[in-house]
Amino acid sequence: MSTDFNFYDMWKDLYSHSSKLFDEKVSNDFPSQGMGQVLEMNLQLKKMIDESTLKYLEFMNVPSRNDIANLSSLIVNVDAKVDDLEERLEENLDNQDQELFKVELSNLKKDMKNLDNKMNQIINLLKTPEKAK
């Protein structure tokens, strides 16, 4: 075996060459171009993953985030419509209750007048036998 082989010198040369190459690339607008390319690749990867995830969820018959959001908005709309119907029903019931109350009150007044008339008749009848005695 040869003892002339020095691993440290070889590593030092590799480091200096890669450092020079990196310095040259950095000075030649590499960072902005490289970052742009990296960002574009990341966006394409994200788009591909999103599309494949949607396809997979559709294939497995599992709702996606968009499906759940649409369902949620539909539920909110139905809830709002039910609230409106409840308010209308309560207004109608209140109106009917008021009308029913008025009818019952007028009936009660008539009954009270009839009772008052009957009581007057009874009192008059009770008083007349005293006069006749």
Side-chain angles (χ1 to χ4, degrees), residues 36-119:
Q37 290 173 351
V38 168
L39 286 174
E40 189 171 329
M41 285 175 28
N42 283 341
L43 288 175
Q44 288 176 352
L45 179 65
K46 184 183 181 317
K47 184 179 177 184
M48 184 182 71
I49 289 172
D50 288 345
E51 288 174 356
S52 63
T53 302
L54 286 175
K55 295 285 184 187
Y56 176 75
L57 291 174
E58 184 179 339
F59 178 74
M60 295 302 291
N61 201 18
V62 175
S64 67
R65 181 178 287 168
N66 292 336
D67 295 336
I68 293 173
N70 291 337
L71 184 63
S72 175
S73 67
L74 291 174
I75 289 172
V76 168
N77 290 339
V78 167
D79 189 36
K81 288 179 181 180
V82 167
D83 288 342
D84 289 342
L85 287 174
E86 283 179 349
E87 288 177 13
R88 288 182 184 176
L89 183 63
E90 286 176 0
E91 288 175 3
N92 287 340
L93 288 177
D94 288 343
N95 291 338
Q96 288 177 356
D97 286 344
Q98 288 177 358
E99 291 175 11
L100 184 62
F101 178 73
K102 288 178 184 178
V103 169
E104 287 180 2
L105 185 62
S106 66
N107 289 338
L108 185 62
K109 285 181 183 178
K110 288 177 186 176
D111 290 343
M112 287 300 290
K113 284 181 185 179
N114 288 336
L115 283 174
D116 190 40
N117 289 336
K118 287 181 182 179
M119 287 295 286

Side-chain angles (χ1 to χ4, degrees), residues 4-33:
D4 294 338
F5 181 73
N6 190 350
F7 183 73
Y8 178 73
D9 287 337
M10 190 173 83
W11 178 79
K12 187 177 176 184
D13 288 340
L14 179 66
Y15 179 78
S16 66
H17 288 302
S18 62
S19 177
K20 285 178 188 176
L21 181 65
F22 183 76
D23 289 340
E24 288 173 5
K25 291 293 184 182
V26 167
S27 65
N28 292 332
D29 293 333
F30 170 73
S32 61
Q33 289 175 351

